[in-house]
Amino acid sequence: MEKKRETARPSGPERPVRRGRVMSGLDYLRSMIEDAVPSSAFCGTLGIRLVEVDHGRTLYLCEPSDQHTNALGISHGGLAAALIDSATGSAVLSTQPVGGRSTTIELKVNFVRPMTAGMGTVRCEGKVIHLGRRIATAEAHITDSRGRLMAHGSATVMVFPDEA
């Protein structure tokens, strides 16, 4: 019986993580927008897209759909939480040098209006509030196409310097 030969190629989350260790957080996120490096499978599954990034600021878009609805017919709160976590975490990541990494250690979400399928694209803008050597804080706001606030939140993010 012939053994199937496996090819050694990066896939899944491994590829973006490795690429992120050789470029600054801002360059890495810009590469995601340009499709030079893949976005996370998680964001892809939810339809969350990074569309703008600057030092300490990010903008994500998402169109709530039937795949996001809960038993009540509105978007599950996890969608807003995922948007806010992505926007705040990426805002902090955009400030990191080559090899720097970060991860959310606390997330607070306030739901103001329900998001529903068919409402159109929502925007989630994240901004760094405080950037320390080990701890950063950031906030994010989700608005609908008319600029109405849907949800807002904040995150505390642990910053890891380059370990190399």
Side-chain angles (χ1 to χ4, degrees), residues 33-82:
I33 292 171
E34 297 165 357
D35 287 330
V37 299
S39 180
S40 72
F42 179 78
C43 284
T45 299
L46 291 178
I48 296 172
R49 322 181 290 289
L50 176 64
V51 296
E52 289 180 23
V53 62
D54 293 307
H55 184 83
R57 181 192 160 275
T58 57
L59 177 64
Y60 281 81
L61 300 179
C62 181
E63 189 168 334
S65 68
D66 288 335
Q67 78 172 1
H68 301 118
T69 56
N70 61 21
L72 300 174
I74 59 175
S75 293
H76 188 280
L79 179 61

Side-chain angles (χ1 to χ4, degrees), residues 2-152:
E2 194 174 318
K3 187 176 179 181
K4 193 175 190 178
R5 195 171 82 179
E6 294 182 24
T7 58
R9 66 183 173 135
S11 64
E14 298 169 23
R15 185 171 169 212
V17 168
R18 281 201 297 259
R19 188 77 183 266
R21 291 197 181 189
V22 297
M23 58 178 57
S24 71
L26 184 58
D27 289 340
Y28 176 70
L29 293 167
R30 285 180 175 157
S31 293
M32 283 176 55
I33 292 171
E34 297 165 357
D35 287 330
V37 299
S39 180
S40 72
F42 179 78
C43 284
T45 299
L46 291 178
I48 296 172
R49 322 181 290 289
L50 176 64
V51 296
E52 289 180 23
V53 62
D54 293 307
H55 184 83
R57 181 192 160 275
T58 57
L59 177 64
Y60 281 81
L61 300 179
C62 181
E63 189 168 334
S65 68
D66 288 335
Q67 78 172 1
H68 301 118
T69 56
N70 61 21
L72 300 174
I74 59 175
S75 293
H76 188 280
L79 179 61
L83 277 162
I84 290 170
D85 188 35
S86 296
T88 55
S90 294
V92 172
L93 181 60
S94 74
T95 67
Q96 298 304 296
V98 172
R101 296 170 295 139
S102 57
T103 190
T104 304
I105 58 175
E106 181 181 44
L107 183 69
K108 168 77 167 95
V109 179
N110 297 285
F111 304 99
V112 177
R113 286 186 175 87
M115 293 189 296
T116 58
M119 71 179 295
T121 302
V122 296
R123 299 168 44 96
C124 185
E125 184 174 4
K127 292 182 182 178
V128 171
I129 303 301
H130 168 77
L131 182 62
R133 281 183 346 150
R134 289 292 198 175
I135 299 291
T137 57
E139 66 181 10
H141 298 84
I142 301 173
T143 55
D144 68 7
S145 60
R146 294 192 285 178
R148 295 181 305 170
L149 185 64
M150 307 305 289
H152 61 96

